[in-house]
Coordinates of all heavy atoms in Angstrom, one line a residue:
R7 N 1.7 3.1 -3.3 CA 0.7 3.9 -4.0 C 0.7 5.3 -3.6 O 0.0 6.1 -4.2 CB -0.6 3.2 -3.9 CG -0.7 1.9 -4.6 CD -2.1 1.3 -4.5 NE -2.2 0.2 -5.5 CZ -2.8 0.4 -6.7 NH1 -3.3 1.5 -7.0 NH2 -2.8 -0.6 -7.5
G9 N 2.1 9.1 -2.8 CA 3.0 10.0 -3.5 C 4.2 10.5 -2.7 O 4.6 11.6 -2.9
A16 N 9.5 1.5 -1.8 CA 8.6 0.4 -1.6 C 8.3 -0.4 -2.9 O 8.3 -1.7 -2.9 CB 7.2 0.9 -1.0
R19 N 11.5 -2.5 -3.6 CA 11.5 -3.7 -2.7 C 10.5 -4.7 -3.1 O 10.7 -5.9 -3.1 CB 11.2 -3.2 -1.3 CG 11.4 -4.3 -0.3 CD 11.4 -3.8 1.2 NE 11.6 -4.9 2.1 CZ 10.9 -5.1 3.2 NH1 10.0 -4.2 3.6 NH2 11.2 -6.1 4.0
H20 N 9.3 -4.3 -3.4 CA 8.2 -5.2 -3.9 C 8.6 -5.9 -5.1 O 8.4 -7.1 -5.3 CB 6.9 -4.4 -4.1 CG 5.8 -5.2 -4.6 ND1 5.0 -5.9 -3.7 CD2 5.2 -5.4 -5.8 CE1 4.0 -6.5 -4.3 NE2 4.1 -6.2 -5.6
A22 N 11.6 -6.6 -6.0 CA 12.7 -7.5 -5.7 C 12.2 -8.8 -5.0 O 12.7 -9.9 -5.2 CB 13.8 -6.8 -4.9
P25 N 9.3 -12.0 -7.1 CA 9.7 -13.3 -7.6 C 10.0 -14.4 -6.6 O 9.8 -15.6 -6.8 CB 10.9 -13.0 -8.5 CG 10.8 -11.5 -8.8 CD 10.1 -10.9 -7.6
V27 N 8.7 -14.6 -3.5 CA 7.4 -15.0 -3.0 C 6.7 -16.0 -3.9 O 6.2 -17.1 -3.5 CB 6.5 -13.8 -2.6 CG1 5.1 -14.3 -2.2 CG2 7.1 -13.0 -1.5
Y28 N 6.7 -15.6 -5.2 CA 6.0 -16.5 -6.2 C 6.7 -17.9 -6.3 O 6.0 -18.9 -6.3 CB 6.1 -15.8 -7.5 CG 5.4 -16.6 -8.7 CD1 4.1 -17.0 -8.6 CD2 6.2 -16.9 -9.8 CE1 3.5 -17.7 -9.6 CE2 5.6 -17.6 -10.8 CZ 4.3 -18.0 -10.7 OH 3.7 -18.8 -11.7
T29 N 8.0 -17.9 -6.3 CA 8.7 -19.2 -6.3 C 8.4 -20.0 -5.1 O 8.2 -21.2 -5.2 CB 10.2 -18.9 -6.4 OG1 10.5 -18.2 -7.6 CG2 11.0 -20.2 -6.4
L30 N 8.4 -19.4 -3.9 CA 8.1 -20.1 -2.7 C 6.7 -20.6 -2.6 O 6.5 -21.7 -2.1 CB 8.4 -19.2 -1.5 CG 9.9 -18.9 -1.2 CD1 10.1 -17.9 -0.1 CD2 10.7 -20.2 -0.9
T41 N 4.3 -34.5 -0.7 CA 4.2 -35.0 0.7 C 2.9 -35.9 0.8 O 3.0 -37.0 1.3 CB 4.1 -33.9 1.7 OG1 5.3 -33.2 1.6 CG2 4.0 -34.5 3.1
V42 N 1.8 -35.4 0.3 CA 0.6 -36.3 0.4 C 0.7 -37.5 -0.4 O 0.3 -38.6 0.0 CB -0.7 -35.4 0.0 CG1 -1.9 -36.3 -0.2 CG2 -0.9 -34.3 1.0
D50 N -6.5 -38.6 -0.2 CA -6.6 -38.5 -1.7 C -6.0 -37.1 -1.9 O -6.6 -36.1 -1.5 CB -8.0 -38.6 -2.2 CG -8.1 -38.4 -3.7 OD1 -7.1 -38.4 -4.4 OD2 -9.3 -38.3 -4.2
P51 N -5.0 -36.9 -2.7 CA -4.3 -35.6 -2.8 C -5.2 -34.5 -3.3 O -5.1 -33.4 -2.9 CB -3.2 -35.9 -3.8 CG -3.0 -37.3 -4.0 CD -4.3 -37.9 -3.5
A53 N -8.6 -34.3 -3.2 CA -10.0 -34.3 -2.8 C -10.2 -33.3 -1.6 O -11.4 -33.1 -1.3 CB -10.3 -35.7 -2.3
F57 N -6.2 -28.7 -0.7 CA -5.6 -28.8 -2.0 C -6.2 -27.8 -3.0 O -5.6 -27.1 -3.7 CB -5.7 -30.2 -2.6 CG -5.2 -30.3 -4.0 CD1 -3.8 -30.4 -4.2 CD2 -6.1 -30.3 -5.1 CE1 -3.3 -30.5 -5.5 CE2 -5.6 -30.4 -6.4 CZ -4.2 -30.5 -6.6
L65 N -2.6 -20.3 -8.5 CA -3.1 -19.7 -9.7 C -3.3 -18.2 -9.6 O -2.9 -17.5 -10.5 CB -4.5 -20.3 -10.1 CG -4.4 -21.8 -10.6 CD1 -5.8 -22.3 -10.8 CD2 -3.6 -21.9 -11.9
F67 N -1.5 -16.2 -7.6 CA -0.1 -15.6 -7.6 C 0.4 -15.7 -9.1 O 1.2 -14.8 -9.4 CB 0.8 -16.3 -6.7 CG 0.8 -15.7 -5.3 CD1 0.3 -16.4 -4.2 CD2 1.3 -14.4 -5.1 CE1 0.3 -15.8 -3.0 CE2 1.3 -13.8 -3.8 CZ 0.8 -14.5 -2.8
R75 N 3.8 -7.8 -15.0 CA 4.6 -7.5 -16.2 C 3.9 -6.4 -17.0 O 4.5 -5.7 -17.8 CB 4.8 -8.7 -17.1 CG 5.5 -9.8 -16.4 CD 6.9 -9.4 -16.1 NE 7.6 -10.5 -15.5 CZ 8.5 -10.4 -14.6 NH1 8.8 -9.2 -14.1 NH2 9.1 -11.4 -14.0
R76 N 2.6 -6.2 -16.8 CA 1.9 -5.2 -17.5 C 1.6 -3.9 -16.7 O 1.1 -3.0 -17.3 CB 0.5 -5.8 -18.0 CG 0.8 -6.7 -19.2 CD 0.0 -8.0 -19.1 NE 0.4 -8.9 -20.1 CZ 1.4 -9.8 -20.0 NH1 2.1 -9.9 -18.9 NH2 1.7 -10.6 -21.0
R85 N -4.6 -1.6 -11.8 CA -5.8 -1.7 -10.9 C -6.0 -3.2 -10.4 O -6.4 -3.4 -9.3 CB -7.0 -1.2 -11.5 CG -7.1 0.3 -11.7 CD -8.4 0.8 -12.1 NE -9.0 0.1 -13.3 CZ -8.8 0.5 -14.5 NH1 -8.0 1.6 -14.8 NH2 -9.3 -0.2 -15.5
L86 N -5.8 -4.1 -11.3 CA -6.1 -5.5 -10.9 C -5.0 -6.2 -10.1 O -5.4 -7.1 -9.3 CB -6.3 -6.3 -12.2 CG -7.7 -6.2 -12.9 CD1 -7.7 -7.0 -14.2 CD2 -8.8 -6.7 -12.0
G92 N -4.0 -9.5 -3.3 CA -4.7 -9.5 -2.0 C -5.6 -10.7 -1.8 O -5.7 -11.2 -0.7
L97 N -6.7 -15.9 0.9 CA -6.8 -17.4 0.8 C -5.6 -18.1 1.5 O -5.8 -19.1 2.0 CB -6.8 -17.8 -0.7 CG -8.1 -17.6 -1.4 CD1 -8.0 -18.1 -2.8 CD2 -9.2 -18.4 -0.7
G99 N -4.3 -17.1 4.3 CA -4.7 -17.2 5.7 C -5.7 -18.3 5.9 O -5.7 -19.0 6.9
Q101 N -5.9 -21.0 4.2 CA -5.2 -22.2 4.0 C -4.6 -22.8 5.3 O -4.5 -24.0 5.5 CB -4.1 -22.0 2.9 CG -3.3 -23.2 2.5 CD -4.1 -24.1 1.7 OE1 -5.3 -24.3 1.8 NE2 -3.4 -24.8 0.8
F103 N -5.8 -22.7 8.3 CA -6.8 -23.4 9.0 C -7.3 -24.7 8.4 O -7.6 -25.6 9.0 CB -8.0 -22.4 9.3 CG -7.6 -21.3 10.2 CD1 -7.4 -20.0 9.6 CD2 -7.3 -21.4 11.5 CE1 -7.0 -18.9 10.4 CE2 -6.9 -20.4 12.3 CZ -6.7 -19.1 11.7
I108 N -6.3 -31.3 8.5 CA -5.8 -32.6 8.0 C -4.6 -33.1 8.8 O -4.2 -34.2 8.5 CB -5.5 -32.5 6.5 CG1 -4.5 -31.5 6.2 CG2 -6.8 -32.3 5.7 CD1 -4.0 -31.4 4.8

Side-chain angles (χ1 to χ4, degrees):
R7 293 184 164 262
R19 185 171 184 222
H20 182 80
V27 170
Y28 179 57
T29 300
L30 291 172
T41 299
V42 169
D50 181 11
F57 177 78
L65 291 173
F67 270 111
R75 302 292 181 218
R76 283 137 189 90
R85 287 191 310 271
L86 279 177
L97 282 180
Q101 184 72 328
F103 297 104
I108 59 176

